[in-house]
């Protein structure tokens, strides 16, 4: 990676930071000249095989169940066009721009390994499309996650060919040919094997995994902060977060989460107010006391997923591939099982993180468990409902997250006349994880909003320095306790502050939040 605004794609792997920079921040791509030389060298091997009288899969034959059919030389360009056109068969809602950009970057990264046999001009065309901020229109449904993310990648390849539609940087949908011409780009006419090389990879599911891990870094830290606010508002103890207690169970994520909660509660007058012998409570409920264990397990799950993503980023996934010694070999590296499994694992962690957050929210609203707070944190309980229905919203989301936690990767539907008789469903795992992350964001935002009101209602006692600045940030866009009002805009305001990282930035202005 050259810098925040430029990513150099070479024969080695792009980093997760590179993917995020291109997908989410529009970084420009530069292609390494040495890697382009290797791309050109491997292309010569494909061209030699194209002239061979013996059939070679994907070069002089059909594909999938039609792999035994020999294709004459004069029909091979049509073969590649037909492959991309027929596989661009997606349906449903459009896939997000950041996902498409991540997908295209990862396919370009594989092309630049020199193991796919494409021409230099084809690799350059992918970089040019990304740099022009032209995003192919890709649809939600179409990938079984084996033979790669075929339909999504085919829609990307179609745009490079000047077919299909793209969206401009401003979001306008245009015919690809028109958009390419307006940007001074020429459509690519695919040569032997190039159609296969452009659609045969795990790039869609991998791109979404990398983006999910980036999002989770923010959400794990936000969850720790939300838990600290709830512990404080519920007159909970910070003693259980002591580092020596965490060291007795050396789980990495747990220790990080406990440290965050401990630092967020440091110096709190509210916590100090009930530390003396007059406090008769023995221990807090699990949703408070065990927050580091649950939050930490989620972090450790993400660490495992990150290891899988790192290995996959270093992969050259195509079928067939050009090996280092010049052989062109079929293989099964396009099967998405490794990525699909961890996408599903993350969905389980996300559901549980949301579940424990919602339990803390509910506890803040219940007079039997909130230790002196008014019912539903209402201004005049009975006349006012307070935050009662905000908890309903959170509970409804958590219920959906449990359904989304059902693994996609345990399913398989045979395709291509039983040639592709076992598939990964990794793309489906990625799509449901994205929805789950949105749900978790909202559940955490509702907890922050609820805990903030609980802290306000502890006056004249003040929150600690860290939770106090977070409360102040929340109050910039949402009012404090008072008669019932339209809550949906307030929830969205806190959601926006979570997504942007502003809540974390406020906390980090006072202390370290890992």
């Amino acid at each position: 990676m050259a810098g925040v605004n430029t990513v150099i794609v070479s024969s080695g792997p792009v980093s997760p930071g590179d993917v995020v920079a291109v997908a989410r921040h529009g970084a420009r791509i530069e292609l390494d000249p040495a890697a382009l030389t290797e791309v050109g060298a491997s292309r010569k091997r494909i061209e030699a095989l194209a002239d061979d009288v013996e059939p070679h899969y994907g070069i002089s034959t059909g594909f999938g169940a039609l792999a035994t059919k020999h294709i004459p030389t004069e029909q091979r360009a049509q073969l590649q066009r037909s492959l991309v056109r027929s596989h661009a068969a997606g349906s449903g809602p459009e896939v997000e721009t950041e996902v498409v950009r991540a997908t295209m970057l990862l396919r370009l990264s594989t092309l630049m390994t020199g193991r796919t046999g494409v021409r230099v001009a084809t690799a350059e065309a992918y970089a040019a499309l990304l740099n022009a901020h032209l995003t192919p229109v890709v649809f939600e449904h179409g990938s079984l996650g084996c033979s790669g993310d075929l339909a999504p990648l085919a829609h990307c390849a179609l745009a490079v060919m000047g077919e299909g539609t793209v969206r401009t940087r401003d979001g306008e949908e245009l015919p690809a040919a028109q958009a390419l011409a307006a940007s001074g780009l020429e459509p690519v006419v695919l040569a032997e094997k190039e159609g296969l090389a452009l659609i045969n990879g795990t790039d869609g599911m991998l791109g979404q995994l990398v983006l999910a891990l980036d999002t989770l870094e923010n959400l794990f830290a936000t969850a720790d902060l939300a838990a600290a606010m709830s512990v404080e508002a519920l007159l909970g103890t910070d003693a259980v977060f002591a580092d020596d207690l965490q060291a007795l169970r050396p789980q990495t994520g747990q220790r990080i989460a406990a440290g965050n909660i401990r630092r967020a509660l440091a110096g709190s007058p509210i916590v100090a107010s009930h530390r003396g012998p007059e406090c008769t409570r023995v221990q807090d409920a699990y949703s408070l006391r065990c927050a580091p264990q649950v939050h930490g397990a989620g972090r450790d799950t993400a660490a495992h997923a990150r290891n899988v993503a790192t290995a996959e980023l270093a992969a050259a996934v195509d079928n067939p591939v050009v090996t280092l010694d010049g052989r062109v070999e079929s293989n099964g590296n396009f099967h998405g099982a490794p990525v699909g499994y961890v996408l599903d694992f993350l969905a389980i962690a996300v559901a549980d993180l949301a579940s424990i957050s919602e339990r803390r929210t509910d506890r803040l609203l219940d007079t039997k468990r909130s230790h002196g707070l008014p019912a539903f944190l209402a201004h005049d309980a009975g006349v006012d409902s307070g935050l009662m229905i905000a908890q309903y919203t959170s509970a409804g989301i958590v219920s959906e997250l449990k359904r989304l936690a059902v693994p996609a990767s345990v399913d398989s539907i045979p395709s291509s006349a039983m040639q592709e008789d076992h598939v990964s469903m990794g793309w489906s795992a990625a799509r449901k994880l994205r929805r789950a992350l949105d749900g978790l964001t909202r559940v955490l935002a509702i907890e922050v909003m609820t805990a903030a009101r609980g802290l306000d209602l502890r006056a004249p006692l003040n929150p600690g320095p860290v939770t106090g600045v977070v409360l102040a940030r929340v109050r910039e866009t949402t009012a404090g306790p008072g008669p019932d009002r339209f809550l949906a805009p307030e929830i969205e305001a806190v959601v926006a502050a979570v997504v942007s990282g502003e809540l974390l930035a406020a906390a980090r202005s006072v202390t370290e939040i890992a």
Side-chain angles (χ1 to χ4, degrees):
M1 182 172 179
V4 175
N5 297 317
T6 303
V7 168
I8 295 177
V9 183
S10 66
S11 58
V14 293
S15 70
D18 293 336
V19 177
V20 172
V22 171
R24 290 186 162 163
H25 306 301
R28 185 171 180 79
I29 292 167
E30 293 181 5
L31 301 180
D32 176 55
L36 285 174
T37 299
E38 178 58 28
V39 169
S42 69
R43 179 63 198 174
K44 290 178 182 177
R45 179 61 180 148
I46 297 299
E47 290 171 350
L49 291 176
D51 295 332
D52 194 350
V53 294
E54 293 295 321
H56 297 277
Y57 176 66
I59 300 171
S60 54
T61 72
F63 311 110
L66 302 176
T68 58
K69 181 175 176 60
H70 183 266
I71 306 299
T73 303
E74 65 275 10
Q75 293 183 343
R76 291 176 190 169
Q78 178 61 39
L79 171 68
Q80 302 301 318
R81 287 194 298 272
S82 296
L83 175 71
V84 173
R85 287 169 178 166
S86 65
H87 284 55
S91 184
E94 277 188 46
V95 173
E96 303 84 358
T97 292
E98 67 172 31
V99 171
V100 180
R101 286 182 62 82
T103 300
M104 291 192 68
L105 171 66
L106 293 173
R107 184 69 333 215
L108 172 60
S109 180
T110 291
L111 300 181
M112 290 292 287
T113 64
R115 307 276 65 83
T116 69
V118 300
R119 295 168 299 157
V120 167
T122 303
E124 291 174 334
Y126 266 61
L129 200 71
L130 285 163
N131 286 340
H133 294 275
L134 299 178
T135 304
V137 173
V138 175
F139 300 101
E140 175 112 16
H141 307 296
S143 173
L144 301 182
C146 200
S147 282
D149 293 313
L150 289 174
L153 286 166
H155 280 278
C156 295
L158 195 69
V160 173
M161 291 165 49
E163 301 181 25
T165 62
V166 299
R167 289 202 180 273
T168 66
R169 187 198 291 262
D170 298 329
E172 182 182 6
E173 185 174 4
L174 294 174
Q178 178 184 337
L180 290 174
S183 297
L185 304 178
E186 291 288 333
V188 171
V189 178
L190 300 180
E192 291 93 344
K193 194 190 173 297
E194 288 191 313
L196 267 184
L198 297 183
I199 67 173
N200 222 324
T202 57
D203 311 291
M205 64 183 90
L206 176 59
Q208 289 173 91
L209 173 58
V210 172
L211 294 174
L213 290 170
D214 181 62
T215 297
L216 278 168
E217 286 187 17
N218 174 41
L219 294 181
F220 283 133
T222 301
D224 296 339
L225 193 57
M229 295 175 71
S230 292
V231 167
E232 189 175 27
L234 287 165
L235 304 183
T237 178
D238 61 348
V240 295
F241 308 122
D243 190 59
D244 61 344
L245 294 177
Q246 313 312 311
L248 294 174
R249 189 192 198 187
Q251 297 285 357
T252 303
Q254 174 182 324
R255 200 165 190 177
I256 293 170
N260 284 343
I261 297 171
R262 188 173 61 250
R263 287 187 294 274
L265 290 171
S268 166
I270 296 176
V271 172
S273 72
H274 55 91
R275 268 211 182 99
E278 69 279 1
C279 181
T280 58
R281 199 173 342 150
V282 176
Q283 55 190 7
D284 292 324
Y286 288 3
S287 59
L288 307 179
R289 190 177 5 141
C290 301
Q293 287 73 16
V294 175
H295 297 192
R299 275 187 169 87
D300 293 340
T301 300
H304 169 57
R306 194 170 291 109
N307 288 338
V308 173
T310 299
E312 197 74 1
L313 287 169
V317 176
D318 191 15
N319 182 45
V321 293
V322 183
T323 64
L324 290 171
D325 61 3
R327 300 177 351 263
V328 178
E329 298 284 359
S330 291
N331 64 92
N333 286 337
F334 48 73
H335 198 291
V339 181
Y341 288 176
V342 294
L343 287 162
D344 279 333
F345 198 177
L346 286 173
I348 292 171
V350 164
D352 203 36
L353 193 62
S355 177
I356 197 170
S357 171
E358 183 276 330
R359 288 293 79 204
R360 293 189 294 261
T361 296
D362 184 64
R363 183 166 288 271
L364 283 157
L365 303 180
D366 183 353
T367 56
K368 293 183 176 61
R369 297 177 292 154
S370 65
H371 303 287
L373 293 173
F376 303 106
L377 306 185
H379 177 69
D380 183 3
V383 175
D384 295 309
S385 296
L387 300 183
M388 178 194 295
I389 307 304
Q391 184 269 331
Y392 281 37
T393 299
S394 183
I397 293 171
V398 168
S399 182
E400 181 180 18
L401 295 187
K402 293 173 184 177
R403 296 190 294 273
L404 292 172
V406 175
S409 54
V410 298
D411 188 22
S412 179
I413 297 180
S415 60
S416 194
M418 293 299 288
Q419 177 72 2
E420 299 167 9
D421 60 349
H422 185 276
V423 296
S424 78
M425 295 297 179
W427 172 273
S428 297
R431 296 309 296 166
K432 69 184 183 66
L433 177 59
R434 280 186 70 86
R435 183 168 178 83
L437 288 171
D438 177 75
L440 173 60
T441 301
R442 296 175 186 282
V443 170
L444 292 175
I446 290 170
E447 182 185 0
V448 168
M449 184 180 76
T450 305
R453 185 178 287 200
L455 290 173
D456 280 331
L457 292 169
R458 291 299 180 188
L461 291 173
N462 292 318
V466 177
T467 52
V469 296
V470 176
L471 173 58
R473 172 58 189 83
V474 171
R475 290 291 164 256
E476 290 177 12
T477 53
T478 66
D484 282 353
R485 54 186 180 263
F486 184 22
L487 273 183
E490 297 192 7
I491 293 173
E492 292 307 308
V494 183
V495 167
V498 171
V499 171
S500 68
E502 291 177 34
L503 293 185
L504 276 180
R508 286 168 173 160
S509 71
V510 179
T511 192
E512 176 191 357
I513 300 292

